[in-house]
Each structure stands twice: as C-alpha cells, then as structure tokens.
Amino acid sequence: MLTPATYLTGARLKREIPGANLALTFAGVLLALSLVAASSARAAGMLYIRGGGSGHGIGMSQYGADGYAQHGFSYTQILSHYYTGTSLGQVAPGRTVRVLLADGGASFTGALAAGSIRLKATSTYAVSAAGARLQITGPGGARLGTPVSAPLTVTGPAPLMVPGLGHYRGSLQFRPDGRGGVETVNVVGLDDYVRGVVAAEMPSSWPAQALQAQAVAARTYAITAQVGAAGYDLYSDTRSQAYGGVAAETAPTDAAVAATAGQVVTYAGRPVVTYFFASSGGHTESVQNVWNGATPEPWLTGVPDPYDGAGGDPYHQWTQQLSLPAAQARLGSRVRGRLVGITVTHHGLSPRILTAAVVGTAGTTTVSGADLQSVFGLPTTYAAFTAITVTGGHGKLTGTVFPASAGRVSVQALGRSGGWQNLRRAAVSLRPALSRAAVPGRFTAAGLAPGRYRITAGSLTGPTVTVS
C-alpha cells in the first residue's frame, strides 16, 4: 500500500471539459497551429501541471482520515465514509499470516530451535539452499547436521532478529526460492502483524481515531488481499502494505490495535478489500476507474473527501512545470509533430484522468491518465495540464494558452529595479481556428517598448521573452 512518505507533492482543480472550454475541434487546432509553426522559432513554451493528492485514490485517504479525526469523527465513522455501505465484523486476532521479509540470502539470531535442531539465542545462523532442502550454518561457518527438509521453522522465546531487517514477533520460516536463494518468511499473529503496520503506514502522532481506522483497514487488508504465493500471504512492502516488525511498534499505534482487536471491515457480512493511500486531493475514486479490468465494488466507490487538506497535508495540492521541448522529449512518440499541449478528455468520478489527448501540430494521440502519471512522474492521476507559449516580436508580444478558456492574460514588463510590473490585459481568442489570426487561445499585445516581458494566466506565470 502506498504510504504518505512515498510521495512528494500539492491544488484542488476545476475539471477541464475540452468540448465546453475549447469551443473548437482538434482538427481546427491542428490547422491553426500548422500555420504558425514556422514563425514560432523564437517562442518560449512551458507546460504546467497542477494536481491534487498522492496515491491510487481508492478507499481510505490517510490524510483525509487524519482530517476527519481532527474534526471529531470516530474511527467507525471514518471507515464507513471511505468504504461505502460497510460495517464492522470480527475475526480471531491471533490467526496467523505469513509475510515475506526477504528473498536471497538468509540468516537469523535469537532462536532456540530450528525444527529439531537446538540453537543458542545469542548466536547468528545462516540458511542456504541445498537443492530442495536447506542447510543451516552456525558461527564460524560450521554446518549443523545434514540438509533438512523445507520449510524450516525457527522459533525462540523473544522476537527473532533478521540481520539487516530487524526484529519480528512469531516465528521465521525458510524455504528455497527455486533460484538458488532462500525465502525468509515471518509467521505471525494477525494483530501482532498489524502492530508492525500501523506506524509504518501512518504517523503515530496522529489522532487516536485515525490510527484506529488505519488499524482496522490494515487488518482487513491483510486477510482479504493475500498474494496467493505458495510460501507466504503478504509482502512486507507497498506491494501489500508496509510492515516494519517490532521496530515499527509505538505506544499510540499499539493502543489503536488493542482498541480495535480483531475488528475488520465487512460488506454484506463478509470482510472486503480495504485499499488505502496517502492523499485524495479532495475526492477519492472508484476502483474500476483506476485499474483496467477491475470489477466495480459498492464499497470502493469514490466519495468527497472534505478534510483531506485539513491537517497540513503536503500532498493535497502540487504543481510541476517544464519546458515544452522537455515535455515533448518525455512524451516521445506520443507527440505528432510539435507538442501543443495536453487536454483531458475523460475524468473519473473524481478529477483523476481516465483519458487525455496529447495534441501536436501533426495530430493527436489518446493516452491514459496512468500513462501520463508515469511519463511525468506524477504522484497521482489527479492532474490538469496547461501549455503557455509566448513569442516576443518587434513591438509586440504574441502567444497561446492551451487548452483555451474564456478570459484574459496579464502582460507584465520587467522594470529597471528588477521587479515585474503589470501593464495591461490581453483577451484570449476562442474563435474557430480558420486563420492564423484566430488561433484558439491566442493573445496579442502590441505597442510595447523594447524590453523583457511575460504573461500571467490565472495563477500561472508564462516564460520570459524579449520584445525588440
């Protein structure tokens, strides 16, 4: 499961509906832009990306849960908000789960027995594959008996230590991985496992009700989202959910686990998968809109998330910007001709992108939100794109804003003191692109003295150019 610490971020955005905002067809855009392409050699262009949240957006927003707890909501209310139509059920808190800790080299400390072999708790032992069997090696490299059958279970009176990883409750289990290495698996009681998850997934300083919501979600996820491997049920990282063993346990998170002992989220009387993620940006998303082929689930429907940014959420709003040439280089063959910009064509239940059009001077390419997230390294698919190009000419400034929307841009001049001064506002044309003078999103400011200029469009500041 993706954790808050996994991402960098930051703005709740209005949806861009291209048909309503552009008032033109893509064919018209391409015709107009091809007419100006030859004269745009001196143009400076930037692509601005604004988005909200971090993570896949399905289920419980962790920063949203924090916000709800700060506003007095209980963990049961938090869970029922994010997992629509659910209730709480009960499972045995001592039932075991098997967590893959490592795959490759294997060693351990703190054990008194490895199967029928007696050990010293103060010694460190290694386990290696010997075909389908396992060889235990003691201090100094001495072999302990002949290879033994797999799996090999190692037990001790206290948490066992895996060098380089940490201490773990329960027992350790080893088996060959079939590639010459050894799988190290922690077999641990469910609630002891959850003790090692909560603080690894959510800051222990957060309100108790948020921690309790996380404990229930983590416990439910552990028994409903198992990976189906022969020797283990879960990964110890974000492929399942972060698990730090004893080192991750804290007094507040232990208390949250104890207060919710054995509780799980249920729908129609059975435990259900409880996805969670860092931050929603203000609205969660339905599962089928995030993962291709996913079956719609009534408890995994997108919902408003009004408190997502209430607790100092660093991911609630974020921005990126890069030059149009740099953006085109990242997009590669998705751009036909020269990059004009990107416009969202289909949103999910939230402003997350399902599909978008990469618009170039020679055509458009349809891409998914996940593709754009990967290309630009975005923390989520909740994003909108604006391209601004500015060209400085003789006594005038011209440029485009794409996607176009009604309004004006502000023209600013660089003063002698180094500060920017507002000069005037220029209208943004939304007329059909039938001629060079009517490029949608185009603006012109004439009668300018020589100097350095830029424009602002809403909260965005365009690139700086020179007017002669």
Side-chain angles (χ1 to χ4, degrees):
M1 193 69 64
L2 303 177
T3 68
T6 304
Y7 299 96
L8 300 176
T9 151
R12 188 171 305 179
L13 307 175
K14 296 181 179 179
R15 298 190 179 188
E16 295 181 357
I17 309 299
N21 290 342
L22 297 180
L24 72 155
T25 65
F26 284 138
V29 175
L30 300 177
L31 171 63
L33 288 165
S34 64
L35 293 172
V36 300
S39 64
S40 62
R42 291 181 296 157
M46 298 293 295
L47 180 68
Y48 301 86
I49 310 173
R50 294 168 292 171
S54 178
H56 50 64
I58 306 167
M60 185 178 74
S61 159
Q62 291 166 309
Y63 273 101
D66 174 39
Y68 267 104
Q70 291 188 40
H71 283 78
F73 289 83
S74 69
Y75 77 95
T76 58
Q77 291 173 311
I78 294 170
L79 292 168
S80 64
H81 172 73
Y82 289 112
Y83 305 112
T84 305
T86 60
S87 303
L88 290 182
Q90 191 76 29
V91 298
R95 63 185 288 180
T96 59
V97 293
R98 300 172 301 166
V99 188
L100 179 66
L101 302 179
D103 187 354
S107 59
F108 61 90
T109 301
L112 292 180
S116 61
I117 302 173
R118 309 310 298 173
L119 305 173
K120 293 182 178 180
T122 55
S123 296
T124 298
Y125 300 88
V127 182
S128 59
R133 299 170 73 84
L134 297 167
Q135 178 66 59
I136 304 175
T137 304
R143 292 184 178 182
L144 275 63
T146 59
V148 297
S149 299
L152 172 67
T153 299
V154 172
T155 59
L160 301 170
M161 196 268 281
V162 178
L165 293 180
H167 290 80
Y168 298 90
R169 300 185 185 280
S171 62
L172 296 176
Q173 202 170 76
F174 302 93
R175 57 171 35 87
D177 64 7
R179 300 181 301 276
V182 176
E183 294 175 349
T184 302
V185 174
N186 182 202
V187 182
V188 61
L190 178 60
D191 271 24
D192 279 343
Y193 164 75
V194 176
R195 290 171 66 186
V197 170
V198 178
E201 285 284 1
M202 180 177 281
S204 61
S205 60
W206 281 11
Q209 296 302 313
L211 297 177
Q212 290 173 29
Q214 180 67 72
V216 177
R219 184 183 296 112
T220 312
Y221 188 86
I223 66 171
T224 58
Q226 297 186 348
V227 300
Y232 53 89
D233 308 312
L234 301 162
Y235 297 106
S236 60
D237 54 32
T238 56
R239 289 173 293 176
S240 292
Q241 51 190 354
Y243 170 58
V246 174
E249 298 173 6
T250 69
T253 54
D254 279 357
V257 176
T260 62
Q263 291 183 359
V264 293
V265 175
T266 63
Y267 185 86
R270 64 181 181 88
V272 290
V273 178
T274 45
Y275 296 112
F276 55 88
F277 61 99
S279 171
S280 72
H283 204 291
T284 69
E285 188 52 79
S286 300
V287 63
Q288 70 274 15
N289 291 335
V290 177
W291 293 321
N292 288 335
T295 302
E297 301 290 3
W299 70 92
L300 296 177
T301 299
V303 295
D305 199 9
Y307 301 121
D308 179 68
D313 177 1
Y315 310 111
H316 184 65
Q317 298 179 343
W318 50 263
T319 61
Q320 283 191 23
Q321 65 182 63
L322 64 167
S323 70
L324 282 180
Q328 176 155 351
R330 292 199 189 185
L331 288 164
S333 61
R334 300 170 186 82
V335 182
R336 300 181 182 180
R338 181 181 300 169
L339 178 63
V340 175
I342 301 170
T343 184
V344 178
T345 54
H346 189 195
H347 290 96
L349 193 62
S350 73
R352 286 169 181 79
I353 302 168
L354 300 188
T355 58
V358 176
V359 181
T361 55
T364 67
T365 302
T366 298
V367 297
S368 68
D371 193 15
L372 292 175
Q373 180 181 8
S374 176
V375 164
F376 294 110
L378 307 179
T380 179
T381 59
Y382 185 152
F385 301 81
T386 303
I388 298 178
T389 61
V390 184
T391 302
H394 181 66
K396 68 177 181 178
L397 196 69
T398 59
T400 57
V401 178
F402 184 89
S405 59
R408 294 175 177 269
V409 298
S410 294
V411 179
Q412 297 181 334
L414 183 62
R416 293 181 179 179
S417 62
W420 290 96
Q421 302 173 346
N422 289 322
L423 291 185
R424 67 182 75 169
R425 293 179 63 77
V428 175
S429 172
L430 291 179
R431 290 178 292 171
L434 299 180
S435 71
R436 178 174 174 175
V439 177
R442 187 174 178 83
F443 58 86
T444 301
L448 301 177
R452 300 283 283 169
Y453 292 85
R454 70 182 187 185
I455 64 99
T456 62
S459 62
L460 303 178
T461 300
T464 302
V465 296
T466 300
V467 170
S468 60

